[in-house]
Amino acid sequence: MQNHKAMKQILITFIVFLLIGCNSENNSNKPYVLQGAWTLRQIVYPIGKTETFSEKERIPFRLYDGDSLIYSCFVSKTETGLVVNRSSQDHITLINKGNGEYIYLENDDPHPLKITNDSTIVIQQNGALLTWHRADDIEKEWGMEIKNIITTDLKQTDEDGIQSYVLSSKERQQSNVIHGFIFATIITIILLLLIAHIAVQNRRAKHRLQLQIQQIQEVQQERPQAVRQAIESVETAFFTSDQYIALQRRIASGQRLKDEDWLDIENHIRKVYPGFISQLRGLYVMSELEYQVCLLIKLRIAPSDIASVMARDVSTISTVRSRLYKKVFGQKGGAKEWDDFILSIGA
């Protein structure tokens, strides 16, 4: 008895599983073919009479929203736009029977529906066959306006009868032009504000740099004679030392400098010119090439040797120096002028 009940329960569970599976499959395969806009193009009546509609006539129009809601109206195209007469707003349900056939329930009133292709459907209604074609062009240009017209019109009373609404292509074009102009104006204003902000920032940065250079030059000029003599003594001792001579020979031989060599150069410069590197870094955010060129200039290495040890052309090194002068001082200057400036700062 218990085995019989267990088998019965398993069988019921299996049947329910099959039904759920089939229903899920049908739902998953359900195409949303009615999404979008459609116009009625032909009616075949039971008596054999056929009525066709052209785009220039007042023809039924439907705008489906998610296969659940339908906005219906009559539309007629004109040379200047579209005329819309409100009809109704209804609820629909689409039941898949398979093989492209459906049951189409419009406000719970069932009608057979058959999909001819992606752009054509046929609905049987009161014995007549109604052929609907997609109207993507109308939906693209007027879809939102038509939906708003129907929604708004349904809230009004019918005291004045059916209202006609004219959608003008010229007004749409003018509206698009105005919107485009407004958008372009806003973008232009934003760009101008951005350019002005950048210009102000650059002007402030240039002013700060000029003050910094002025302070450096004033410090150089106001040094007491004893300080100048002490700096010259330190410089003389360094440039005659065995370390500097060995470094100069290595550079003159064209050997590439390693990372540890650049660290040694920085340490030598900090000992001889304590304020040079900080002043140099504060002038301008330099690339590694620009920074290393300045270090070698400070060590009084000839431009040809700088080019050799850095595997660059002499013209490239010259361009780097003149470009640095222009960036820092805001005016054209030669490589020699930049060298003189580098040699004048730092102690």
Side-chain angles (χ1 to χ4, degrees), residues 52-110:
T52 59
F53 302 87
S54 68
E55 291 185 349
K56 295 182 179 179
E57 294 181 276
R58 181 175 177 269
I59 60 176
F61 174 88
R62 289 180 169 183
L63 187 60
Y64 290 94
D65 189 359
D67 271 354
S68 60
L69 190 64
I70 177 177
Y71 298 86
S72 301
C73 64
F74 291 90
V75 300
S76 55
K77 287 187 176 180
T78 66
E79 294 181 357
T80 59
L82 194 73
V83 178
V84 179
N85 299 117
R86 184 262 299 175
S87 178
S88 63
Q89 176 180 316
D90 304 294
H91 293 276
I92 65 165
T93 302
L94 197 62
I95 302 174
N96 190 353
K97 294 177 60 181
N99 298 323
E101 296 184 359
Y102 295 80
I103 296 298
Y104 173 79
L105 293 106
E106 184 174 331
N107 290 334
D108 297 327
D109 186 12

Side-chain angles (χ1 to χ4, degrees), residues 235-283:
E235 287 180 333
T236 301
F238 172 70
F239 289 117
T240 57
S241 66
D242 294 337
Q243 291 177 331
Y244 177 74
I245 294 173
L247 176 63
Q248 194 175 41
R249 287 176 179 174
R250 184 174 180 183
I251 291 174
S253 67
Q255 297 183 32
R256 294 293 300 273
L257 298 178
K258 301 178 181 178
D259 292 341
E260 54 266 26
D261 296 325
W262 288 110
L263 291 176
D264 289 340
I265 289 174
E266 287 183 334
N267 291 332
H268 290 319
I269 290 178
R270 284 192 175 94
K271 291 177 182 178
V272 182
Y273 307 105
F276 173 75
I277 291 180
S278 61
Q279 291 176 354
L280 182 65
R281 291 290 195 185
L283 292 174

Side-chain angles (χ1 to χ4, degrees), residues 289 293 297 302-304 306-307 312-326 333-339:
L289 173 63
V293 167
I297 291 172
S304 58
I306 294 176
R312 307 280 178 146
D313 294 333
V314 176
S315 60
T316 301
I317 301 302
S318 177
T319 300
V320 169
R321 291 145 64 206
S322 59
R323 185 173 63 233
L324 281 169
Y325 187 91
K326 183 178 180 180
K336 181 63 169 58
E337 292 175 287
W338 178 253
D339 293 351

Side-chain angles (χ1 to χ4, degrees), residues 175-237:
S175 177
N176 290 338
V177 170
I178 293 173
H179 290 160
F181 176 76
I182 294 174
F183 178 76
T185 302
I186 293 174
I187 294 298
T188 301
I189 293 174
I190 291 174
L191 289 176
L192 290 176
L193 291 175
L194 181 61
I195 292 172
H197 175 73
I198 294 174
V200 170
Q201 294 298 320
N202 289 339
R203 188 159 52 248
R204 290 177 178 174
K206 184 177 180 180
H207 181 66
R208 288 194 298 268
L209 182 59
Q210 290 174 344
L211 290 177
Q212 188 174 357
I213 293 174
Q214 183 179 353
Q215 291 173 357
I216 293 173
Q217 292 173 342
E218 289 175 354
V219 168
Q220 310 291 341
Q221 294 172 359
E222 295 175 358
R223 283 175 180 164
Q225 184 65 28
V227 174
R228 294 182 182 181
Q229 291 177 350
I231 292 174
E232 292 176 359
S233 176
V234 173
E235 287 180 333
T236 301

